[in-house]
Amino acid sequence: MLAPRQDPFSYQHQNKELEPAFSLLCWNIHKENLLPDFQLRLHTVLHTYPSDFLLLQEYKMPKSQPHDLRGLSYAMAANMETKKSIYGLLTASRFGFVAKQTALSHKKELMVSTRKSILITTHSFTDTRTLHIVNMHGINFVSSKTFENELNNLDALLQSYCGAMIVCGDFNNWNKRRIKALDTFMQRLSLEQAAVHNSHHVKHIFLKPIDHIYYRELRLLKAEAIDTKKISDHNPIHAVFEQL
């Protein structure tokens, strides 16, 4: 694997502002997005659960062909690259992107020797207020102390972001110390955890759920985990929010 040299993006809706009520789908797709079975299941999920944002972890983007994500604008934060593909986080939307920021974890994961990426995108509501969306994949295969340090690094980065915020993804918080560190991190940012309906469909490790959505300065209307019959080793979470 090579260190990523680019963070692909395509902005097609820059004049379209975010509506007061919006929806999102958060999903660790385990690099399955190019497979026909995954594409079919994603189409089915989005038909039942329309989503203004797609927040995907472990996304695979080929270098050899133009990439069209169902006509959506998108930004990517890569964490690794090969001769043929780029891998990482992808945030896609039918609304415009005001700004994006990417970062990599300070430490590499053991065994795979790769870093985890972070993607922060900013979107403007029709009343000019902004929404910051943090798409993340928590570092794994490291000590709990390293996990906590990486959250502290992210906290320092996010403290400068004011206003409405959503932080979501696969947090890999599968033991008590990681759970405590994540709770502390979210409290410092004044974030609330979304209560998810059908939470038994959320990915668990050691009986601990690891996929989450957190938010602030928004009203959560509903959130639901969706059973996709093992297309990925995770299931997506769909949520609907509105401005306060």
Side-chain angles (χ1 to χ4, degrees), residues 210-229:
I210 61 171
D211 296 321
H212 308 284
I213 297 175
Y214 296 87
Y215 64 98
R216 75 181 185 203
E217 298 186 31
L218 296 165
R219 181 178 292 109
L220 175 67
L221 301 182
K222 59 181 177 179
E224 180 179 354
I226 305 164
D227 183 11
T228 53
K229 308 301 181 186

Side-chain angles (χ1 to χ4, degrees), residues 187-204:
Q187 290 168 10
R188 289 199 300 258
L189 290 168
S190 301
L191 291 159
E192 181 179 353
Q193 185 172 0
V196 177
H197 183 60
N198 287 332
S199 59
H200 58 284
H201 292 317
V202 174
K203 170 82 175 206
H204 286 63

Side-chain angles (χ1 to χ4, degrees), residues 79-98:
N79 74 311
M80 61 183 183
E81 185 173 337
T82 65
K83 291 182 178 180
K84 294 184 178 181
S85 301
I86 302 167
Y87 302 84
L89 304 172
L90 183 135
T91 296
S93 178
R94 65 184 187 90
F95 297 108
F97 287 64
V98 175

Side-chain angles (χ1 to χ4, degrees), residues 17-221:
E17 296 173 320
L18 185 56
E19 296 164 1
F22 61 94
S23 56
L24 62 83
L25 189 82
C26 181
W27 195 358
N28 182 332
I29 58 173
H30 200 239
K31 307 177 183 68
E32 304 290 340
N33 54 286
L34 299 180
L35 300 179
D37 285 350
F38 177 88
Q39 291 290 334
L40 178 61
R41 186 56 54 87
L42 179 63
H43 176 79
T44 301
V45 167
L46 293 179
H47 178 76
T48 307
Y49 299 91
S51 302
D52 297 311
F53 290 92
L54 298 181
L55 307 170
L56 307 178
Q57 300 89 50
E58 295 197 38
Y59 191 84
K60 179 180 180 180
M61 181 175 289
K63 296 179 179 179
S64 59
Q65 61 192 64
H67 199 73
D68 180 21
L69 196 74
R70 301 175 177 270
L72 298 175
S73 296
Y74 65 83
M76 191 170 180
N79 74 311
M80 61 183 183
E81 185 173 337
T82 65
K83 291 182 178 180
K84 294 184 178 181
S85 301
I86 302 167
Y87 302 84
L89 304 172
L90 183 135
T91 296
S93 178
R94 65 184 187 90
F95 297 108
F97 287 64
V98 175
K100 75 162 184 173
Q101 182 173 4
T102 64
L104 289 170
S105 61
H106 289 210
K107 296 291 186 180
K108 294 182 179 180
E109 294 182 316
L110 300 176
M111 296 183 288
V112 290
S113 295
T114 57
R115 303 179 194 273
K116 281 290 192 282
S117 53
I118 298 158
L119 175 58
I120 307 165
T121 58
T122 301
H123 312 269
S124 179
F125 286 106
T126 54
D127 63 2
T128 73
R129 287 187 288 173
T130 55
L131 169 68
H132 308 294
I133 297 182
V134 183
N135 186 354
M136 66 173 290
H137 192 176
I139 193 166
N140 210 2
F141 311 117
V142 294
S143 69
S144 294
K145 179 61 176 176
T146 297
F147 177 85
E148 183 177 357
N149 289 341
E150 293 295 343
L151 286 179
N152 290 338
N153 294 333
L154 179 56
D155 174 59
L157 183 63
L158 295 179
Q159 285 296 336
S160 62
Y161 286 83
C162 301
M165 179 180 287
I166 295 172
V167 181
C168 64
D170 171 2
F171 289 83
N172 277 315
N173 59 320
W174 42 260
N175 66 21
K176 290 183 179 180
R177 185 167 176 182
R178 285 172 174 243
I179 292 170
K180 182 178 179 180
L182 181 59
D183 288 345
T184 300
F185 167 76
M186 295 303 169
Q187 290 168 10
R188 289 199 300 258
L189 290 168
S190 301
L191 291 159
E192 181 179 353
Q193 185 172 0
V196 177
H197 183 60
N198 287 332
S199 59
H200 58 284
H201 292 317
V202 174
K203 170 82 175 206
H204 286 63
I205 297 179
F206 304 134
L207 303 180
K208 306 292 193 302
I210 61 171
D211 296 321
H212 308 284
I213 297 175
Y214 296 87
Y215 64 98
R216 75 181 185 203
E217 298 186 31
L218 296 165
R219 181 178 292 109
L220 175 67
L221 301 182

